[in-house]
Amino acid sequence: MPSWSGDAELAIGSRMRRPHLGAVAAAFAEGHLVKTFAFRGSMNYLVPEDAGIYLALRAVGRQWELKSWREFYRLEPADWPVLRAVVRDALSSGPLSQRDLADVVVRDARFSHLTGALTDKSCTFLKPFAWQGDLSIAPSRDGVLMLQSPTVAFGWSGIPEPEDAGPRAVRAYLSAYGPASADHLQYWLGDGLSAGRKRIAGWIVRMLEDEIVTIDVEGDALLCHADHVDELASEPASGVMHLLPGLDPWLLGAGTADVHIVPPDRRGEITRGANPVLIDGRVEGTWKVTEDLLTVTTHDGAFSSDTLEIARGRLAEVLGREIHSDGL
């Protein structure tokens, strides 16, 4: 699953066996992660092997062919193949800033009007290039946004056809978040990537034939990998506490409206980005660090000092500094 770039160090570090400060930045700089525009137009970190799956689904709506885009950017669908080739060629020699990329592109008289679009801080015009695998985000230089070809990432496998990418995305979602409802998949792949309700429903139906089964979870009919059912049924509650960053992928994957993960009385603060305390995968409170003091607030305060100590130690590892906790 992707990680939103703002809290990526904490989101990914909390899931590593040996977390250390700067691990994500180092992996990105070394080409082991792709940073690009994917879910809901935000910047996400993705592993190169899987990045094309989500980009293919984001591109399937062909937003750049809408009348509003054609009129605003003065480009017709037939202009895009040539424009994309110009962008790819410009980035083939290494990273460029938005301004430098624009300077190259507008040398072609057909695209001389695109300087403003290419340098706009919202990056709206750049996103279709990212979705089609022409560019991705490079490590910044002195705070300046840099762009590069995604092919520099180890394991980059290009953009698959949507009908290949769709089932792979469903499979990945259920591996990370299952059991889950069809509505969950519509939320993640539809609302998040604009993949289209009919396409998503079709992938689910096709996979129900041999990969996915429907199981009952507290009265809800949920989708699950057929080969995960026995493992899930035998997995006992462990009481493990996880301190995750606000808007962590675990929350965004299902959405804060999922009462199995976020109790209704917690939804407001979690939606606004409060740091969640998870116990056995369910939000049971929030946490914050003020200077070097960790404060954990749960619904009923029901957690052991040992559980909190383990969570505090892991957080300290990820952040790379000593942290103390109330009551320890």
Side-chain angles (χ1 to χ4, degrees):
M1 290 291 102
S3 179
W4 272 249
S5 58
D7 297 301
E9 290 288 351
L10 182 51
I12 295 176
S14 65
R15 291 163 168 85
M16 296 172 64
R17 290 187 177 182
R18 295 180 178 85
H20 58 277
L21 186 65
V24 174
F28 176 44
E30 293 165 4
H32 298 294
L33 291 173
V34 172
K35 186 177 183 180
T36 191
F37 303 101
F39 288 81
R40 301 178 183 274
S42 62
M43 291 184 189
N44 307 143
Y45 284 109
L46 301 161
V47 295
E49 297 84 355
D50 295 341
I53 297 172
Y54 303 104
L55 296 175
L57 300 188
R58 188 62 185 88
V60 75
R62 304 185 70 82
Q63 182 174 325
W64 57 93
E65 295 183 359
L66 296 176
K67 181 181 179 181
S68 58
W69 272 62
R70 288 158 49 200
E71 293 178 348
F72 186 81
Y73 293 112
R74 288 182 283 154
L75 291 171
E76 292 300 316
D79 297 323
W80 278 86
V82 176
L83 176 57
R84 290 178 56 205
V86 171
V87 169
R88 289 195 301 271
D89 185 63
L91 295 174
S92 63
S93 298
L96 295 174
S97 67
Q98 287 179 263
R99 170 59 64 177
D100 289 340
L101 176 62
D103 289 344
V104 174
V105 171
V106 300
R107 291 173 191 165
D108 188 316
R110 291 169 293 184
F111 309 126
S112 61
H113 62 291
L114 294 176
T115 296
L118 289 162
T119 57
D120 182 28
K121 291 183 179 180
S122 73
C123 298
T124 299
F125 185 64
L126 296 176
K127 292 176 183 180
F129 297 95
W131 303 336
Q132 296 176 90
D134 302 321
L135 62 77
S136 63
I137 309 302
S140 64
R141 293 180 183 171
D142 299 323
V144 175
L145 177 69
M146 302 296 292
L147 307 168
Q148 64 183 0
S149 169
T151 60
V152 302
F154 298 106
W156 170 257
S157 54
I159 310 295
E161 292 297 319
E163 288 308 305
D164 175 38
R168 292 168 66 184
V170 171
R171 196 175 297 121
Y173 183 88
L174 291 178
S175 292
Y177 299 110
S181 68
D183 285 343
H184 282 112
L185 283 158
Q186 290 288 353
Y187 169 79
W188 186 242
L189 303 178
D191 294 355
L193 293 174
S194 304
R197 294 191 66 83
K198 290 183 178 179
R199 290 190 189 91
I200 297 168
W203 297 327
I204 293 171
V205 169
R206 188 168 71 186
M207 297 176 73
L208 276 169
E209 296 177 359
D210 54 17
E211 285 191 62
I212 299 174
V213 297
T214 301
I215 63 174
D216 182 275
V217 178
E218 298 179 357
D220 293 328
L222 302 182
L223 303 172
C224 183
H225 273 294
D227 55 1
H228 291 178
V229 174
D230 291 342
E231 179 184 357
L232 288 169
S234 62
E235 187 70 23
S238 61
V240 172
M241 175 186 289
H242 292 283
L243 305 179
L244 300 181
L247 305 180
D248 183 85
W250 177 249
L251 303 172
L252 297 182
T256 57
D258 187 334
V259 297
H260 296 292
I261 297 175
V262 182
D265 61 341
R266 287 285 186 184
R267 185 182 179 189
E269 60 186 340
I270 296 301
T271 300
R272 291 190 295 272
N275 299 322
V277 175
L278 259 62
I279 298 178
D280 288 331
R282 178 179 169 85
V283 174
E284 297 293 354
T286 58
W287 65 272
K288 62 180 179 179
V289 172
T290 304
E291 296 182 351
D292 65 348
L293 182 65
L294 167 66
T295 301
V296 172
T297 305
T298 62
H299 288 298
D300 54 13
F303 57 86
S304 69
S305 59
D306 289 343
T307 297
L308 179 57
E309 171 61 14
I310 293 171
R312 180 208 59 78
R314 188 162 191 80
L315 181 63
E317 280 188 276
V318 176
L319 298 180
R321 59 191 175 94
E322 187 59 35
I323 294 173
H324 306 284
S325 177
D326 288 338
L328 291 179

